[in-house]
Every structure is written in structure tokens, then in C-alpha cells.
Amino acid sequence: MKLNGSEILIECLKEQGVDTIFGFPGGAVLNIYDALYKHRDEITHILTSHEQGAAHAADGYARATGKVGVCIATSGPGATNLVTGIATAMMDSVPMVAITANVTLPLLGRDSFQEVDIAGITMPITKHNYIVKDVGELARTVREAFRIAREGRPGPVLIDITKDVTAAVCDYEKKLPKIRPTATVSAEMLRLDEAIQMIHESRQPYVFVGGGAILADCSEELLEFVETIDAPVCDSLMGKGAFPGDHPHYTGMLGMHGTKTSNLGVTNCDLLIVLGSRFSDRVIGNAEKFAANAKILQIDIDPAEINKNIGADYAIVGNLKDILAELNRKLPRLSHQKWMAEIAMNKQSYSLAYDESTLTGPYVIEELSKLDDGSFVIATDVGQHQMWTAQYYKFRSPRTLLTSGGLGTMGYGLGAAIGAQVGCPDKHVFNIAGDGCFRMNLNELATAVRHQIPVVEIILNNHVLGMVRQWQTLFYEGHYSSTTLSDGVDFVKIARGFGCEALAVTKREEVGPALRRAIASKRPFVLDCQIGMDDSVWPMVAPGAAISDIIIGK
């Protein structure tokens, strides 16, 4: 069958099971949009307000569903507007395919109108990327891009297609993706005996769960493993939801804004079992003092993560789900009664606390968590509200927290929430943002209204760049340089101008009714929650300090 390049692209996307694309049209990509129009009953296109919003929406769609997210943009500035979203996906190992069009082949390299070397620009922030200059290579490239995005440690792949390729005609033959079965026995499986011996010999084991556990879809195996070895569990920001946040063995997040129980527990344990984590600097603090009394057993699918930031005494490279299943099969049920009693006492002594006399971010987040009936997906932007969400929300299942952990992208959350809501129409999706983050991509409210995507935007509005101000208070003698946002912007009026429902929340007693009203509306809804400008995230570990050196706060 002879098809032009744009039609081949659409057919290949259908082969891969793509049902949704997030994007923004332009001159170089018009042929593709014409093909999308013809296949609009098979692939839904969500027109965003900005290409960055499209990239974040594809990312949120991928995180919430486990599928590959797809975004599309035109050449030049359209393509470069995807860069932050692609880098976000790369840092957090999100499977995504970004499709851009470029000028025609004769115009490449001539500084043509809206020409940019997007493949060169994105080379450091993609698993792989392509520029397609021959229509005969297009189908193979698309299929390979999706395979690379999914396999091993997931990540983004970029396909740049010259405009003449989108119009050129060649033969197309349908090929469905081959299912690649996971090997049940591998060389790594034969190396479990030493790991099992380390677990047997430990008297004070601790399990640290990272985002790799979400990607491996191993929550059931993880729960069985923890209960089998009778160990406390902490997680990274990216690992939230892999292990139930309301389980007795769970002690909270580890690191700079982790709980005192988790930080002291990891400091005092004799075996740290690390599952799918890259040992971020925000987790480990002072590397020389991190888990100094412990042997470290690290399990990760990416060999590049072994011994990169923290040296492992023993490491296993492979699929976390398979490895945990095999460990569960081989390990007897263990008991660490004394250690678990110590951890339980610390949890009681060092529980999180906040000012209960006024409206605060933690209170809003706790009230939202109480309403969660298992149908909530939470996106966040980046800053204090992100850390409060990690501390106070009880994430009970995977793929329910969408947040930029690695790149720390302000403005990420609203686009991600839109993508998640499109991918999971039966869920209630919220974005928790600070007012600084909300300003960056608030134009995506128009996207939500245009497509009637019922996301709820919760703004914890302190009229400052809260996390930066907190650092200025602690480490810069209160020099509040360019962090105050007291400019009289009314987010409720702005939201209503976009066509959203909106409410201002100024008192604690207003929070519950406002949240229930937003959920019941089934429309895009904005809650502007006014909190104090000097509310801070506690506990905190100062940069460069050991994670056991914890600042509790006022």
C-alpha cells in the first residue's frame, strides 16, 4: 500500500496503540495535522496552549497510565518549546515520544525560517533521537523509537521529520509490535545467594524504594518482600505509592525533607536494601556520612546507577519485579521485633506536625488525602507544596503521584494533570501548585476548558516563591531578593476568565466543602488557598549536612 509520510506516521502510531497525542500545529507540521484530521476518530489530538504544556501532558499521561506518551510540535520555536518537557521526562525515566517536523531537506543547514537542529539540541536529554530525511526510513524509525522509549529504563525519544518526508510517498506494510517476554531466569537470578545471605545476617535492615519500583510495576512483590523480611520502608519522592503510605512498616520519605524516623533509621541500620533509586543528592545529603554503618544492597535495571553516587557492597542488575519475586520465593519469613519496635517508637516521637491554628498547606493536603477513595491522582509543581504533598498525603498505590523529581520543573503540574486526566478518565485528578509555579503555565487552563477536562487546580498561595524564600531565611540572612510576588494578581478572576469555576479559600473550615464542591463539579476548577508567606517545610537537612543532622523548625 502506498501512503505519504504523514499517513505512514499515523499508521505506525496506531500500530503502537497510541490513542492520544498532545500538540500544537505550525507550518512544517501541517501535513501531519492533515493526516491527524483524517484519523480523528482513531487518535484524539489535545490542542494545548503551549508546546511545553503538550510535553508535560504527554509525560503525565505516561506516568499515570504506564503507556508511552506522545507529543508533537512544529519546527524552530515549536520544537524548542518541548525541550524542558523532554528533559523532565529524561530525568524521571518517563517513556515518551516527541515528534517534530523540520524544514525541507534542501533548506536544512541554511538558517532557514523556523529551522533549528532539534536533534542536536536534545541529544543529551533523550535516550535516542532521529532526524528522518528519507520516507523509506520513517516506519522503521517510529517503531524503533517506541521500543527504545519502553525498554529497560524508560525515557523520551525524539523523531524529527523533514517536511518533504511528510509529503513523500512510499510503500507501507503494517507491522504490529512484537511482545518481548521477560526472561524468568537470568544470569542475575543465579547471583541472589549473596543478597539472601546479607538479608539473613542483618539485624537492622531498612528498605529504600525509588521510582524504579513504580516503573517495574512491582508493588505486590515489594509488599510481600517487606513483610517477609520484616523491615521498615522509606521512599524517595519518585517512589511514592510503590509501597502503601498507610502501612505500619512505612516511615515516610528519606532525605532533605524526609521524616526524622526515616533519616535516623537509615543512618542506624546495618543493611540498606535499595530498590530502583539513583541516590539523588537530595536523598543522601553528605555522601560520606550516608548509611555509614550499613552494608548496601542495590538492585536496579540500569547498570549505570550502580556505584554512581553511593558505593554498593553488593548489586544486582535486572528487572526489579522478577528479582523481588525470586527473593520472595527463596527467603523464609524473618522477624526483627526489637528493630521494628525502635522504629515504631521513633514514628510516634518524631511525627510530622504543623501549626493547627490557621490555614496551612499541610492542612489542605491532609484534607484532600482524607477524601481519597482510591480514585485520586495527584500532580504537583515544584517547591514547598511539592514537599508538603510528599510528607502529608497518604499515597496508597503506584502512578498516583506525578511530579518533577529530577529536573524540578516549575510549571510542570497543570499540563501533567491534564495528560493524566485524559489517560485516566475514571480518576479524579488534582494539581497542587504554588502561586509562583501556577503563573508559569496557567494558560493551560484554557486547554482544560476547551476539551472539558475536569482537573482541579489547588494553589497554595503564599504570595512568595516559598522554597527560595525559606532558603533565604535560613542561609542568606533574610535577604529576600526577587522572591516576593505581592502584586495583587487575583487567580480566581483569572480562572473564571478562562472559563473555569473558582473559589478563594482563606479559612480552615472552608477547605473540606471547597474540595468536595470542586470534585462534584466535574469541570475544570481552581481553588486559591491563601496561606502564610513564612510557612516553611520541616523537617529539613541543610545542604551538605548528613541526613541525621535534621532541622526540626520553629
Side-chain angles (χ1 to χ4, degrees):
M1 176 183 358
K2 288 194 178 293
L3 298 175
N4 69 33
S6 298
E7 292 163 338
I8 290 171
L9 173 64
I10 299 303
E11 291 300 328
C12 288
L13 293 176
K14 287 160 56 179
E15 288 175 4
Q16 301 297 324
V18 174
D19 54 21
T20 305
I21 296 175
F22 305 89
F24 201 96
V29 82
L30 276 178
N31 292 331
I32 297 173
Y33 269 81
D34 191 57
L36 274 172
Y37 179 84
K38 295 172 184 174
H39 292 268
R40 60 190 182 278
D41 293 335
E42 299 163 285
I43 296 178
T44 299
H45 178 267
I46 302 295
L47 174 63
T48 57
S49 299
H50 191 283
E51 291 90 352
Q52 187 180 129
H56 293 329
D59 175 303
Y61 176 95
R63 295 194 205 213
T65 65
K67 302 176 183 178
V68 177
V70 181
C71 58
I72 187 168
T74 194
S75 63
T80 58
N81 281 343
L82 295 177
V83 168
T84 298
I86 293 171
T88 301
M90 184 67 177
M91 289 288 281
D92 291 344
S93 304
V94 177
M96 187 167 84
V97 171
I99 299 166
T100 56
N102 216 319
V103 298
T104 59
L105 190 56
L107 295 178
L108 278 180
R110 297 177 179 273
D111 293 332
S112 304
F113 177 67
Q114 290 194 333
E115 180 198 358
V116 73
D117 179 12
I118 192 62
I121 289 169
T122 59
M123 189 174 292
I125 56 167
T126 52
K127 280 187 76 176
H128 196 66
N129 64 26
Y130 304 86
I131 178 165
V132 183
K133 303 176 182 179
D134 180 353
V135 70
E137 294 294 313
L138 181 57
R140 178 195 61 79
T141 300
V142 174
R143 292 161 183 156
E144 191 173 272
F146 275 82
R147 177 182 61 79
I148 291 171
R150 290 189 186 101
E151 282 188 354
R153 181 176 181 169
V157 178
L158 178 123
I159 307 171
D160 191 34
I161 312 167
T162 61
K163 186 172 182 178
D164 43 354
V165 166
T166 67
V169 174
C170 80
D171 289 322
Y172 162 78
E173 181 181 349
K174 184 176 182 178
K175 290 184 180 179
L176 295 178
K178 293 181 180 179
I179 298 174
R180 297 171 181 257
T182 302
T184 54
V185 179
S186 67
E188 293 295 339
M189 294 299 185
L190 303 177
R191 300 176 62 240
L192 295 183
D193 288 347
E194 186 166 342
I196 290 170
Q197 184 178 349
M198 292 172 75
I199 295 169
H200 267 296
E201 293 175 352
S202 171
R203 296 293 174 263
Q204 297 182 169
Y206 223 108
V207 177
F208 171 43
V209 181
I214 304 285
L215 300 173
D217 190 26
C218 66
S219 291
E220 292 182 9
E221 292 82 2
L222 174 60
L223 179 60
E224 182 182 348
F225 176 72
V226 168
E227 293 181 342
T228 296
I229 69 170
D230 191 30
V233 183
C234 61
D235 53 22
S236 68
L237 177 66
M238 300 308 301
K240 290 282 171 187
F243 190 84
D246 54 359
H247 193 282
H249 285 62
Y250 181 69
T251 62
M253 190 167 65
L254 179 68
M256 178 174 281
H257 292 293
T259 64
K260 188 170 183 178
T261 300
S262 293
N263 285 11
L264 292 180
V266 167
T267 300
N268 296 326
C269 72
D270 63 9
L271 175 66
L272 182 62
I273 304 168
V274 184
L275 306 177
S277 173
R278 61 188 177 85
F279 285 119
S280 162
D281 57 295
R282 289 299 175 96
V283 164
I284 65 176
N286 187 318
E288 293 182 0
K289 297 180 180 180
F290 179 77
N293 302 313
K295 290 183 178 180
I296 293 180
L297 169 60
Q298 185 176 3
I299 305 175
D300 204 286
I301 199 168
D302 186 355
E305 292 300 336
I306 306 300
N307 297 319
K308 186 176 82 174
N309 294 326
I310 293 292
D313 293 276
Y314 194 70
I316 303 170
V317 177
N319 184 292
L320 190 54
K321 186 180 183 75
D322 294 340
I323 292 168
L324 285 177
E326 191 69 8
L327 285 172
N328 290 337
R329 190 179 70 81
K330 291 184 174 183
L331 280 165
R333 186 166 287 272
L334 305 174
S335 175
H336 300 101
Q337 188 173 356
K338 183 179 178 182
W339 175 234
M340 292 305 296
E342 179 182 333
I343 295 298
M345 186 177 299
N346 285 347
K347 284 177 67 175
Q348 186 172 6
S349 300
Y350 305 134
S351 58
L352 295 169
Y354 58 87
D355 182 0
E356 297 185 14
S357 66
T358 188
L359 179 60
T360 63
Y363 178 77
V364 174
I365 290 161
E366 280 195 330
E367 289 301 294
L368 180 62
S369 185
K370 290 175 185 176
L371 294 174
D372 189 350
D373 59 1
S375 69
F376 287 10
V377 174
I378 309 298
T380 80
D381 278 287
V382 172
Q384 289 179 315
H385 60 277
Q386 180 189 35
M387 294 297 101
W388 285 326
T389 302
Q391 291 175 332
Y392 289 95
Y393 200 97
K394 300 295 184 185
F395 292 97
R396 301 173 181 87
S397 55
R399 302 194 180 279
T400 53
L401 172 63
L402 320 175
T403 193
S404 176
L407 195 63
T409 305
M410 293 179 68
Y412 164 82
L414 181 53
I418 288 170
Q421 186 71 82
V422 171
C424 305
D426 57 331
K427 301 284 189 180
H428 294 292
V429 181
F430 304 80
N431 181 47
I432 300 174
D435 48 320
C437 289
F438 179 60
R439 292 162 183 258
M440 289 196 169
N441 277 334
L442 62 84
N443 51 346
E444 296 305 334
L445 289 177
T447 304
V449 172
R450 181 187 305 115
H451 297 280
Q452 283 303 294
I453 300 168
V455 295
V456 177
E457 178 84 358
I458 301 172
I459 308 167
L460 301 183
N461 189 353
N462 56 8
H463 303 282
V464 293
L465 300 178
M467 186 61 84
V468 185
R469 181 182 176 89
Q470 180 170 335
W471 280 51
Q472 288 172 334
T473 300
L474 293 173
F475 310 120
Y476 292 89
E477 301 178 348
H479 298 161
Y480 300 121
S481 176
S482 301
T483 51
T484 302
L485 305 176
S486 54
D487 45 19
V489 175
D490 188 329
F491 290 140
V492 170
K493 289 181 179 178
I494 288 174
R496 288 173 179 167
F498 275 113
C500 299
E501 292 189 49
L503 286 176
V505 177
T506 59
K507 300 176 183 177
R508 284 165 61 95
E509 58 267 27
E510 295 172 347
V511 172
L515 288 171
R516 285 187 284 271
R517 177 174 165 183
I519 294 166
S521 74
K522 298 182 180 180
R523 292 186 57 204
F525 206 110
V526 173
L527 295 178
D528 183 9
C529 302
Q530 303 284 326
I531 65 172
M533 67 168 54
D534 285 309
D535 290 356
S536 294
V537 181
W538 306 114
M540 180 179 179
V541 175
I547 60 170
S548 56
D549 295 335
I550 305 167
I551 304 170
I552 298 300
K554 297 176 183 178

